[in-house]
Amino acid sequence: QVQLVESGGGSVQAGGSLRLSCVASEYTNCVAWFRQAPGKEREGVAFISNAYETRYVDSVKGRFTASREITGTTLYLEMNNLKPEDTAIYYCAAAKSSRGCLGSGTMDYWGQGTQVTVSS
């Protein structure tokens, strides 16, 4: 069982920045960041495969940067130029197979989530 622990959420004004961190108990071939806003379905924000290829949802391209340390067990989500519509609970997730990073994402493990609130 892979354990994931996120940190770094908080409240900022529109245009501000936050950095989320996630520490995994072991390496997996796919890691990702998801978010769920009130009343909306959870969506994948960024995916990092074992080849360190990164893919983003269109709404965050150019504003968010996902990265993974070389050890593979710590990942980050740098969020810049935040907008009120970015307000959500953000989850770190992992999949044993790199195929988990395909499409909308199929994850095996989830963190507890961290709240990000962006005010206008």
Side-chain angles (χ1 to χ4, degrees):
Q1 183 79 6
V2 177
Q3 296 182 332
L4 302 164
V5 179
E6 304 103 332
S7 60
S11 298
V12 294
Q13 290 188 329
S17 299
L18 283 173
R19 188 174 84 154
L20 306 183
S21 300
C22 173
V23 178
S25 59
E26 61 185 83
Y27 177 87
T28 57
N29 287 311
C30 166
V31 290
W33 290 98
F34 283 73
R35 67 184 179 186
Q36 187 165 21
K40 294 188 177 182
E41 293 187 357
R42 188 165 54 192
E43 68 168 348
V45 174
F47 299 86
I48 306 177
S49 70
N50 58 347
Y52 289 79
E53 296 175 345
T54 308
R55 178 169 63 86
Y56 301 94
V57 68
D58 286 347
S59 60
V60 307
K61 285 181 180 178
R63 300 189 298 121
F64 289 14
T65 302
S67 61
R68 187 177 193 178
E69 288 190 351
I70 195 66
T71 59
T73 57
T74 302
L75 60 151
Y76 304 98
L77 184 66
E78 186 76 35
M79 304 183 293
N80 297 312
N81 190 21
L82 282 161
K83 303 177 181 180
E85 52 264 40
D86 293 319
T87 295
I89 299 174
Y90 283 71
Y91 298 90
C92 174
K96 291 177 284 188
S97 170
S98 58
R99 292 190 297 274
C101 276
L102 300 178
S104 59
T106 304
M107 301 292 127
D108 300 309
Y109 309 103
W110 296 88
Q112 81 283 359
T114 185
Q115 178 71 46
V116 171
T117 303
V118 185
S119 58
S120 58

